[in-house]
Amino acid sequence: MTLGYPRRVAMISLHTSPLATPGVGDAGGLNVYVGELARRLGERGLKVDVFTRADSDGPDVVELNEHTRVVHLPVGPRGPVPKEALPRLVPDFAAALEPVIERYDLVHSHYWLSGVAGLELKQRHGLPLVHTMHTMARVKNAALGGAQQAEPDVRDRGEAAIVAAADGLTANTGDEAAELITHYGARPDQITVVPPGVDLHTFHPCDQPKSRAQLGVPLRAQVILFVGRVQPLKAPDVLIKAVAELVRADPDRRERLRLIIIGSPSGPDADWSRTLPPLAEELGVGDLVDFRPHSARAELFRWYCASDLVGVPSYNESFGLVALEAQACARPVVATDVGGLRHAVDDGQTGYLVAGHGAHDWAKAMAAVLDDPDEALRLGINAAIHASAFSWDNTAAATLGAYHRAVC
């Protein structure tokens, strides 16, 4: 280590690779976060190896840049494993790191499964451990809704052990830092607030007519967009119900209103996604809802651009990268008034925050954007300015501060 900073970092993302496409299976904002952070740290001269479980027949090592690699460890079957079955693989994953872990100055783990593996390595080798929760069992269980399943006790116990022993914890927001203290007894001096970023080269203000022409979206359409894993936590059903409410209140809107849901089923609730098309039919809006699979990020940029607003109705979000990406594209966001979305969205300036998940409240907030072009333009301009302050370079700089405190 030099000047109080680690030179080599073992970054652990056990359950999902930063190379995975967000919106597929368990891949989402965490994948983007790990990949972007590792790249930016590498650009600052740190040697960063991201260790993940090999779940395909791809190459064992993939270089992201001159100093950053993704290393796939042969732990468990070389294929997908349900997230709920992964805890039993944690000891094997930690063991697979044993031959190389002494090369590193610090371990940075992401999500609780990685944190438990990192904790084993810390205890055996005395390495500093920095952990990023991304989501927390106790916070999620306190905000369950709809068809969501409670997080298991093994996760609760694992997270408590990580917090008790970690040299550093990073939190997306001050609110998340407070949750670490309240729910897990974290020490304030353990925590560094590290806001996530957005890829401003990929996501930026764009031409809506051009994007609609490329995607085959009518120019007159009022387009509401949902992006993310299709699961109860993300609550795309709320948008379907709100669309039905919009049409009920104004039947003429049917000719132009569209809800586009982009993403794939995820987690133990994967079958829940099958309830959404019947729900749309039951509410009389089956013809207005377009279900699409995950998109590559370049194509996703075009979908953001083609939309009039992006809905983020999650029951809980540690931050909300989709909200940031949408705003970077100058699109207003309507989101639930929870967690990190309160920081990602500037209520009344870049979009609107909705208390709860009532269809009437969501319809009212979305209509305020859809039916007032001047307001939509104001929100969109503010959104792009707001998002520009969230860069991955800033995220990397704040993370280096966490590393410094952990090693000193």
Side-chain angles (χ1 to χ4, degrees), residues 377-399:
L377 179 61
R378 180 186 74 86
L379 293 171
I381 292 172
N382 289 341
I385 296 170
H386 177 67
S388 68
F390 294 90
S391 73
W392 288 114
D393 287 331
N394 291 341
T395 303
T399 300

Side-chain angles (χ1 to χ4, degrees), residues 137 232 240 256 258-259 292 305 323 350 373:
I240 295 174
R256 58 190 187 280
R258 296 292 181 272
L259 169 60
R292 292 179 174 268
C305 296
T350 69

Side-chain angles (χ1 to χ4, degrees), residues 241-242 245 248 357-365:
K241 295 171 185 175
E245 177 68 16
R248 185 199 64 77
H357 295 85
H360 175 77
D361 295 334
W362 276 82
K364 181 180 178 181

Side-chain angles (χ1 to χ4, degrees), residues 171-179 193-196 317-321 323-324 327 333 335-347 350 353 383 386-387 389-390:
N172 290 319
T173 65
D175 287 349
E176 187 179 346
E179 290 170 342
V193 175
V194 179
E317 287 284 354
S318 60
F319 199 76
L321 291 179
L324 272 186
Q327 289 174 103
V333 172
T336 318
D337 188 10
V338 295
L341 290 172
R342 295 170 178 151
H343 298 264
V345 179
D346 187 354
D347 188 26
T350 69
L353 296 175
H386 177 67
F390 294 90

Side-chain angles (χ1 to χ4, degrees), residues 25-26 82-84 140-141 144-152 229-237 264-276 315:
D26 287 321
K83 191 189 293 186
E84 57 272 20
K140 291 180 72 173
N141 286 343
L144 290 176
Q148 292 174 256
Q149 297 182 18
E151 293 297 314
R229 288 169 287 167
V230 182
Q231 57 181 204
L233 174 69
K234 303 296 184 180
D237 58 308
S264 299
S266 172
D269 302 313
D271 288 344
W272 178 83
S273 65
R274 299 177 184 174
T275 69
L276 298 182
Y315 280 89

Side-chain angles (χ1 to χ4, degrees), residues 5-319:
Y5 291 95
R7 296 181 60 193
R8 296 184 66 91
V9 174
M11 195 171 285
I12 304 178
S13 182
L14 185 160
H15 78 290
T16 184
S17 169
L19 303 177
T21 302
V24 181
D26 287 321
L30 183 152
N31 302 71
V32 176
Y33 187 109
V34 173
E36 294 288 356
L37 174 61
R39 286 185 182 92
R40 297 312 193 278
L41 291 173
E43 290 169 359
R44 282 162 170 72
L46 278 71
K47 300 287 187 180
V48 182
D49 285 340
V50 182
F51 293 97
T52 190
R53 195 184 69 81
D55 61 0
S56 70
D57 292 326
D60 291 336
V61 178
V62 176
E63 291 191 359
L64 299 184
N65 61 31
E66 189 169 351
H67 290 143
T68 308
R69 307 185 304 168
V70 176
V71 182
H72 298 93
L73 299 179
V75 176
R78 204 172 181 98
V81 173
K83 191 189 293 186
E84 57 272 20
L86 285 173
R88 62 182 174 81
L89 297 180
V90 169
D92 293 341
F93 191 92
L97 272 167
E98 284 288 345
V100 298
I101 197 63
E102 292 287 358
R103 302 175 188 172
Y104 300 93
D105 304 314
L106 178 141
V107 175
H108 185 176
S109 53
H110 294 266
Y111 191 65
W112 78 274
L113 291 163
S114 303
V116 174
L119 187 55
E120 290 190 26
L121 296 167
K122 171 184 170 59
Q123 291 168 343
R124 293 175 192 163
H125 300 274
L127 288 171
L129 173 65
V130 172
H131 181 71
T132 303
M133 287 284 195
H134 293 281
T135 61
M136 292 175 270
R138 295 177 185 177
V139 174
K140 291 180 72 173
N141 286 343
L144 290 176
Q148 292 174 256
Q149 297 182 18
E151 293 297 314
D153 290 342
V154 65
R155 176 176 180 180
D156 183 283
R157 294 192 302 272
E159 290 179 345
I162 294 163
V163 171
D167 298 280
L169 301 166
T170 73
N172 290 319
T173 65
D175 287 349
E176 187 179 346
E179 290 170 342
L180 282 165
I181 294 169
T182 300
H183 290 283
Y184 294 90
R187 304 185 313 275
D189 63 351
Q190 272 182 297
I191 305 170
T192 303
V193 175
V194 179
V198 62
D199 182 353
L200 298 172
H201 296 288
T202 300
F203 301 105
H204 53 79
C206 43
D207 187 288
Q208 188 185 67
K210 175 182 177 181
S211 297
R212 291 193 172 190
Q214 288 184 5
L215 297 171
V217 176
L219 285 176
R220 289 187 62 253
Q222 293 184 329
V223 178
I224 300 165
L225 181 68
F226 170 91
V227 173
R229 288 169 287 167
V230 182
Q231 57 181 204
L233 174 69
K234 303 296 184 180
D237 58 308
V238 170
L239 298 182
I240 295 174
K241 295 171 185 175
V243 164
E245 177 68 16
L246 285 168
V247 172
R248 185 199 64 77
D250 179 8
D252 291 340
R253 196 189 293 273
R254 173 178 289 278
E255 296 301 317
R256 58 190 187 280
L257 189 61
R258 296 292 181 272
L259 169 60
I260 299 172
I261 295 176
I262 297 178
S264 299
S266 172
D269 302 313
D271 288 344
W272 178 83
S273 65
R274 299 177 184 174
T275 69
L276 298 182
L279 173 65
E281 292 294 339
E282 177 186 339
L283 295 174
V285 293
D287 57 325
L288 307 185
V289 183
D290 184 3
F291 296 93
R292 292 179 174 268
H294 62 277
S295 295
R297 295 179 73 67
E299 183 181 2
L300 187 57
F301 161 72
R302 282 296 167 202
W303 281 112
Y304 284 132
C305 296
S307 71
D308 291 294
L309 69 87
V310 175
V312 187
S314 304
Y315 280 89
N316 179 257
E317 287 284 354
S318 60
F319 199 76

